[in-house]
Amino acid sequence: MIGIFSTSDLTNTIRREKLRAVYQTLNQLLPLSKQIEIKFFFGNPTSAQGRVRLAREKVKYPSDVVMSEQEESRDGGKILEWYRFARQNLYVRHPRKKEWCKRYHYIGKGDDDAIFHLERLSAMLESVEVDGPNYIGIPFTDVFNGFHITGMNGMLQLMSAELVEWIVHSPIPEENLVGVEDIQVGIWMMKSGINIQYVEATHNQFHDVVGTTMHDGYWVRPFSEETVVIHYCKELHIFEACLQGILGNPSSALVTKTDISSTRFSDWQDVTKYANRLQLPVSSHEAKSILIMAERRPQRVFQGLVRLWTETKLGIPFYRNHVPDCLQELMERNQFFDDGPSFVVRNMLQQRMTALGLDVSFNSIKLWAPEIVGIMNVRPLIPGEFDLYLMTNHVTEILNKLGLKSERKYASSIASSALSGSQGFYAHGELDRRVLATILKEVGEVVNPLRLADLAKLLSDIVHFNKSCFFQN
């Protein structure tokens, strides 16, 4: 079993989705006894958005997402949490005999920017003596308090069950927890006093992708039929080339680094081409949406593509949730605007206010538009939220003009009451009459419904009167 260390970041999420598909396919091609179980291991995300994203992923993939209660941090002891989890799942009770059997011969730790060739890895492990304290990987040496230590590169390292048992039950790992995880594990091994069998992979088996400058290129090798692990496939176009190189035709996997900031996005077709290059296919509507919301800025286009692909894979409809119908109509007519999403949302607000039968000043709409854009940049709009947001702002203005309390919660309650029981279409003034009826009920006034129309007209005049001191008393 291998635990791939990952985070809730969007780019990492895309890599995980692709790795899941690849490893599932590769394992199906192997006999059951040679298959390698893959888990994705996480610390607790530091952002609320990350926690929500990871919770959704856990619901969708309950069997391979493993979450630690420890806050996400590479060098804060996450590696020990992984081995503790692995130890809990290391054995299985024999169905007939009263004894426990090993479920896994080896427990591994890897990175989500590394890709494993499972068939070659399985064959490599079969050539190693199963019994004994084996530590497998590509070694490095370091100095700790004057002592030379030998560790294994974090792209992939594997330990026999005996070493996992020692790690979980010895106080040494807990006492040497904080620091670069690969070095810390090397320190554990040095202090263990165990006659560890270091099984070294060759540089042609475990290596970094051509083009990386990490460690001065010490572990860089070209793809070959010997490649078992390819590492530092971080950027998405490089990740795709790594997949092709290790699983397809090595000679055709030419990794070229392209700076996103130099890419120009003149229209939605440019977004589509870039998305296809990243293997993140999008529809024309989605490409138009991303182009508008990103204001044609390359980095924002990239972020939009990543977010779209991730949330689609996690089962969250992107297009309808992020872009209300009237904005969709603007995009379908290819009406792009130089000042980006704020202009589009202002037009959207005007159209929706007309549909709601409300008279709202353009100055109010200009103030509300950036708030709507801000919400849409953080999360999807849920059904009905758009209308409720507009009505709450509208009711707040009314309450302010009337000199009544205008707390957001109170205004939202009135707005929700006014919108209830409708299908989203209103006659002109209908919502203002509903708002007025609710306010009058709140202050204990009973008004003949036939007079509400006249009072609503007065209310409209009050709301749009220029002097805010009017009716304060």
Side-chain angles (χ1 to χ4, degrees):
M1 177 173 67
I2 298 175
I4 297 177
F5 282 27
S6 191
T7 72
S8 61
D9 291 348
L10 292 177
T11 301
N12 298 71
T13 303
I14 288 181
R15 292 202 295 258
R16 284 195 302 279
E17 287 288 340
K18 292 179 178 292
L19 289 175
R20 277 192 183 97
V22 168
Y23 293 149
Q24 182 179 9
T25 301
L26 291 179
N27 265 324
Q28 288 174 348
L29 299 175
L30 296 173
L32 186 61
S33 61
K34 296 184 179 182
Q35 292 181 7
I36 298 174
E37 186 171 347
I38 301 293
K39 304 286 187 185
F40 294 96
F41 192 68
F42 305 86
N44 191 15
T46 56
S47 70
Q49 190 174 5
R51 287 191 290 272
V52 170
R53 186 181 299 123
L54 200 53
R56 287 169 173 162
E57 187 169 346
K58 176 67 174 176
V59 170
K60 188 171 183 180
Y61 304 105
S63 63
D64 73 12
V65 172
V66 181
M67 299 172 62
S68 167
E69 293 183 1
Q70 180 178 329
E71 186 174 286
E72 179 61 54
S73 172
R74 186 196 66 174
D75 301 332
K78 183 177 176 181
I79 186 74
L80 181 56
E81 291 294 310
W82 162 245
Y83 284 122
R84 285 172 173 166
F85 167 83
R87 168 59 180 79
Q88 292 173 356
N89 296 270
L90 189 54
Y91 302 98
V92 61
R93 186 180 288 277
H94 195 282
R96 293 182 299 275
K97 302 177 182 178
K98 293 182 178 181
E99 60 184 37
W100 290 88
C101 305
K102 289 179 186 176
R103 180 184 276 123
Y104 311 107
H105 291 301
Y106 292 99
I107 299 297
K109 173 268 168 186
D111 294 335
D112 69 359
D113 63 342
I115 303 172
F116 318 137
H117 194 294
L118 296 189
E119 182 180 6
R120 294 174 192 162
L121 179 58
S122 181
M124 175 184 170
L125 294 178
E126 279 192 319
S127 67
V128 179
E129 185 69 35
V130 174
D131 295 327
N134 296 323
Y135 189 21
I136 305 170
I138 188 79
F140 68 87
T141 58
D142 208 323
V143 178
F144 173 74
N145 288 345
F147 294 94
H148 287 275
I149 62 170
T150 299
M152 295 295 183
N153 187 293
M155 67 175 80
L156 178 62
Q157 52 182 256
L158 302 108
M159 292 185 181
S160 60
E162 288 79 3
L163 283 180
V164 174
E165 285 285 354
W166 175 84
I167 287 174
V168 171
H169 292 99
S170 170
I172 291 175
E174 190 76 50
E175 295 166 356
N176 298 269
L177 195 58
V178 179
V180 179
E181 57 192 24
D182 306 341
I183 296 177
Q184 294 309 113
V185 175
I187 293 172
W188 301 351
M189 298 297 102
M190 179 196 71
K191 291 189 171 186
S192 68
I194 300 173
N195 184 23
I196 296 172
Q197 305 299 314
Y198 289 91
V199 181
E200 299 182 8
T202 69
H203 283 253
N204 287 333
Q205 290 176 312
F206 288 29
H207 60 85
D208 290 341
V209 66
V210 172
T212 184
T213 58
M214 291 298 295
H215 308 293
D216 297 323
Y218 177 75
W219 282 305
V220 170
R221 297 291 187 280
F223 293 109
S224 73
E225 298 297 331
E226 295 180 58
T227 301
V228 175
V229 183
I230 183 69
H231 187 220
Y232 273 109
C233 309
K234 291 186 180 294
E235 297 178 45
L236 292 181
H237 64 283
I238 294 179
F239 188 84
E240 288 297 329
C242 288
L243 281 174
Q244 182 181 358
I246 195 170
L247 305 175
N249 182 0
S251 63
S252 65
L254 303 177
V255 179
T256 57
K257 188 169 182 177
T258 302
D259 185 2
I260 176 66
S261 63
S262 65
T263 306
R264 296 181 60 84
F265 297 99
S266 301
D267 53 34
W268 66 268
Q269 286 96 336
D270 292 336
V271 176
T272 302
K273 291 175 184 176
Y274 185 70
N276 289 337
R277 188 167 139 239
L278 294 178
Q279 297 295 308
L280 306 177
V282 295
S283 69
S284 59
H285 290 319
E286 290 164 343
K288 293 171 186 176
S289 170
I290 289 170
L291 186 67
I292 292 175
M293 291 302 172
E295 299 175 297
R296 295 190 175 89
R297 298 180 187 180
Q299 193 61 40
R300 290 190 181 182
V301 169
F302 174 74
Q303 292 170 352
L305 286 170
V306 169
R307 180 177 179 181
L308 162 62
W309 199 89
T310 302
E311 296 191 348
T312 300
K313 281 292 183 181
L314 294 180
I316 308 167
F318 170 88
Y319 183 67
R320 287 287 181 179
N321 277 351
H322 283 70
V323 188
D325 290 346
C326 45
L327 177 56
Q328 178 181 334
E329 293 175 9
L330 291 173
M331 291 189 301
E332 288 174 349
R333 294 199 298 268
N334 287 326
Q335 294 185 11
F336 298 102
F337 305 95
D338 291 334
D339 56 348
S342 292
F343 185 93
V344 175
V345 172
R346 288 201 299 272
N347 282 267
M348 177 175 63
L349 287 168
Q350 286 180 309
Q351 292 189 37
R352 191 57 191 151
M353 283 300 188
T354 301
L356 295 175
L358 298 176
D359 292 320
V360 178
S361 69
F362 183 69
N363 285 336
S364 295
I365 290 176
K366 284 180 67 177
L367 291 174
W368 299 350
E371 294 182 26
I372 291 285
V373 173
I375 293 173
M376 295 169 71
N377 283 338
V378 172
R379 59 172 176 78
L381 298 175
I382 62 177
E385 181 183 12
F386 188 67
D387 285 357
L388 180 60
Y389 176 86
L390 300 183
M391 272 303 297
T392 299
N393 283 1
H394 181 57
V395 171
T396 300
E397 284 193 344
I398 292 174
L399 293 172
N400 285 333
K401 296 290 184 178
L402 293 175
L404 301 174
K405 65 177 183 179
S406 58
E407 290 89 344
R408 186 77 180 177
K409 184 177 180 181
Y410 178 65
S412 178
S413 174
I414 295 175
S416 179
S417 176
L419 289 167
S420 63
S422 70
Q423 301 298 318
F425 300 97
Y426 304 87
H428 187 79
E430 178 185 352
L431 285 177
D432 277 344
R433 287 193 292 275
R434 292 187 181 195
V435 169
L436 182 58
T438 304
I439 294 173
L440 291 173
K441 183 178 179 181
E442 289 280 340
V443 298
E445 297 288 342
V446 178
V447 179
N448 187 323
L450 296 177
R451 292 200 59 216
L452 276 178
D454 294 332
L455 288 171
K457 178 64 171 64
L458 175 62
L459 180 66
S460 179
D461 292 339
I462 293 170
V463 170
H464 293 100
F465 195 71
N466 288 330
K467 295 185 178 179
S468 60
C469 61
F470 187 82
F471 241 80
Q472 283 294 306
N473 299 317

